[in-house]
């Protein structure tokens, strides 16, 4: 009998007040306002560890949402990812109170240099006994570019070219600067590390010049687990070369499968196995002990959701609530003095239809509300029919969303053999059931123990060289 496919179970988090459930921080008993307290993160980590979660996925941005209504006021008023604190700094505290929980941490390759980042990640991988993953992003907010001295955003595909070289640098540091056996800890000979097995990387590229050596000895995973959220052609090509876990989705099962197939094909083109990538979707789960309880929870969540927050998060350039619901988006854009073709919305839909579409945008394929049996049935369908590997659980309430899932859904999934092994392991071992380091087919391994440092990796190209 074939063993049932197991679920990778992550909680989707961010070091901020309002992440992706806009307005719900105001719910009674919600702890989101405590995001700046260390006890918030340690309490959450213990809930997740005890509740059978495999990881917490920490989102991040380095700019404000300031397109809607021409400024950041809506975001600031609603706590919409501003204030927003550094996700890296809460990880050691969470790791200290857990033994198996993994941490997917977001960091952008677009604005900060790779050398210091490589050091921070190796440090975190050591402090967590190899439970660290990196969500590689290139930053999409125009305000982020202005925060780092640029007049405007770096073009989308160009950001991926910079990211490709950024990863080439950190691979050389993580995989190539120190040999596996460089650390000797020889007290009698007074030799901590063998200098013959530690080296400069001397990277000279279009965007970065890094001499090395890496300041950290090899960590348990060397290279952290590589996460990526993408769907664009450039992002898909990038994922085919680099990503181990892709955060993707789709409004339908067919959408998801198309996205996943494209990335598997891209991995194959890079000499990797299609099974070298795991796919995680963002999922909304509202569970109750009865159907009536689940329905009432969902009614309250929907009622308290902020439409302004949704529009600000989507960077909608048109103030849709200011217009009559019966006119078309095209007419609203014209009245606002905007080019209708640049608002990025269906122009022939009415304002009311468009607003309702935004309000209901999270009630797609990967949403379920009901009893534990109903929820588990649906998650098993996502695993078996759609082919997903895991979920990032959307939080409607902190900590009730995690507690409800842990207390009501996890026991049902465990009974069905769908929960991963509870024993401590590195994050890569937990996700892939194999060793803690990258497989030999991954491009980063070309630098292992100092090989090929003088042979540059052919860069990904989406635009003409600048």
């Amino acid at each position: 009998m074939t063993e049932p496919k197991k679920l990778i179970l992550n909680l989707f988090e961010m070091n901020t007040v309002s992440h992706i459930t806009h307005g719900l921080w105001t719910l009674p008993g919600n702890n989101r306002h405590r995001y700046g307290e260390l006890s918030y993160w340690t309490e959450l980590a213990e809930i997740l560890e005890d509740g059978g979660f495999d990881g917490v996925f920490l989102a991040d941005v380095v700019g404000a949402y300031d397109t809607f209504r021409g400024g950041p006021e809506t975001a600031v008023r609603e706590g919409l990812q501003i204030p927003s604190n550094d996700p890296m700094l809460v990880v050691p505290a969470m790791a200290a109170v857990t033994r198996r929980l993994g941490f997917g941490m977001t960091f952008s390759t677009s604005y900060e240099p790779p050398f210091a980042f490589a050091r921070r990640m190796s440090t975190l991988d050591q402090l967590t006994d190899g439970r660290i993953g990196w969500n590689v992003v290139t930053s999409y907010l125009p305000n982020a570019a202005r925060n780092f001295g640029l007049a405007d955003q770096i073009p989308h595909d160009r950001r991926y070219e910079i990211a490709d070289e950024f990863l080439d640098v950190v691979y050389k540091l993580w995989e190539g600067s120190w040999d596996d056996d460089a650390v000797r800890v020889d007290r009698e000979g007074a030799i901590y590390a063998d200098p013959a097995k530690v080296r400069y990387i001397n990277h000279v590229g279009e965007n970065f010049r890094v001499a090395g050596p890496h300041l950290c000895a090899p960590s348990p995973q060397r290279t952290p687990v590589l996460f990526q959220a993408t769907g664009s052609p450039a992002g898909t090509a990038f994922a085919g070369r680099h990503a181990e876990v892709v955060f993707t989705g789709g409004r339908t099962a067919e959408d998801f499968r198309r996205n996943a197939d494209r990335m598997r094909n891209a991995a194959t083109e890079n000499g990797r196995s299609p099974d070298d990538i795991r796919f995680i979707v963002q999922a909304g789960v509202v569970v109750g002990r009865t159907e009536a309880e689940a329905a009432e929870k969902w009614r309250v969540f929907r009622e308290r959701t902020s439409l302004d927050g949704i529009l600000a998060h989507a960077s909608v350039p048109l103030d849709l609530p200011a217009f009559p619901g019966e006119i078309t988006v095209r007419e609203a854009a014209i009245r606002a003095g905007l080019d209708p073709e640049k608002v990025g919305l269906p122009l022939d839909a009415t304002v009311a239809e468009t607003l309702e579409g935004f309000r209901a945008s999270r009630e797609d394929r990967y949403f379920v509300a009901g009893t534990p049996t109903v929820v588990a049935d649906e998650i098993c369908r996502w695993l078996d029919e759609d082919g997903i590997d895991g979920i990032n659980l959307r939080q409607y309430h902190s900590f009730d969303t995690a507690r409800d899932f842990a207390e009501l859904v996890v026991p049902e999934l465990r009974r069905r053999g769908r929960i991963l092994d509870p024993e401590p392991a590195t994050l890569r071992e937990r996700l892939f059931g194999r060793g803690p380091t990258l497989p030999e087919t991954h491009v980063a391994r070309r630098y292992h123990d100092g090989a090929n440092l003088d042979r540059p990796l052919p860069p990904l190209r989406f635009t003409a060289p600048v």
Side-chain angles (χ1 to χ4, degrees), residues 141-186:
L141 290 175
N143 179 251
R146 299 195 300 272
N147 288 336
F148 290 91
L150 303 180
D152 202 356
Q153 241 182 333
I154 303 168
H156 177 276
D157 289 4
R158 176 65 184 142
R159 295 201 305 271
Y160 274 105
E161 293 177 349
I162 294 170
D164 183 57
E165 187 183 339
F166 189 109
L167 266 74
D168 195 37
V169 174
V170 295
Y171 291 159
K172 290 175 180 177
L173 293 167
W174 289 330
E175 299 284 338
S177 189
W178 291 63
D179 287 358
D180 286 335
D181 59 351
V183 176
R184 289 174 49 181
V185 196
D186 177 0

Side-chain angles (χ1 to χ4, degrees), residues 30-83:
N30 202 331
N31 286 278
R32 291 234 57 92
H33 65 288
R34 292 177 50 211
Y35 75 97
E37 300 174 19
L38 203 61
S39 59
Y40 172 91
W41 297 101
T42 54
E43 185 177 346
L44 175 63
E46 289 171 332
I47 291 169
L48 300 180
E49 173 98 344
D50 295 342
F53 282 73
D54 299 300
V56 55
F57 188 101
L58 293 158
D60 193 31
V61 291
V62 288
Y65 289 88
D66 62 357
T67 297
F68 183 61
R69 293 179 179 150
E73 291 78 12
T74 300
V76 171
R77 182 170 57 251
E78 302 211 0
L80 170 57
Q81 301 186 19
I82 182 172

Side-chain angles (χ1 to χ4, degrees), residues 251-304:
R251 295 191 64 82
T252 66
E254 291 71 25
D255 286 345
F256 167 78
R257 283 194 286 263
R258 275 194 298 270
N259 288 337
D261 286 344
R262 281 196 294 266
M263 290 173 213
R264 289 190 185 101
N265 291 338
T268 302
E269 290 169 5
N270 281 273
R272 304 169 65 196
S273 165
D275 193 47
D276 283 348
I277 301 182
R278 298 285 185 265
F279 295 95
I280 291 178
V281 298
Q282 184 187 147
V285 175
V286 180
V287 62
R289 289 169 178 80
T290 65
E291 288 289 348
E293 182 184 331
E296 176 59 15
K297 286 181 183 179
W298 181 230
R299 183 195 67 78
V300 172
F301 294 162
R302 226 174 179 271
E303 188 177 89
R304 295 288 285 269

Side-chain angles (χ1 to χ4, degrees), residues 324-367:
E326 66 273 10
I327 70 171
T328 66
V329 171
R330 185 189 306 277
E331 176 62 24
I334 292 169
R335 291 189 190 184
L338 299 175
D339 180 349
E341 302 299 328
K342 293 183 178 179
V343 298
L345 299 171
L347 298 177
D348 295 327
T350 67
V351 168
E353 290 168 344
T354 304
L355 289 175
E356 180 55 30
F358 275 107
R359 193 184 297 278
S361 60
R362 295 277 165 75
E363 300 167 46
D364 55 14
R365 172 69 169 178
Y366 302 109
F367 171 82

Side-chain angles (χ1 to χ4, degrees), residues 38 51 80 107 117 119 126 132 135 172 194 213-214 220 238 266 274 301 352 370 395 409 428 455:
L38 203 61
L80 170 57
F107 183 85
F117 170 73
R119 183 190 190 199
Q126 290 179 4
I132 282 291
N135 178 35
K172 290 175 180 177
D194 184 346
H214 190 32
F238 185 91
F301 294 162
Q395 285 193 93
V409 182
R428 185 170 283 112
R455 294 173 57 200

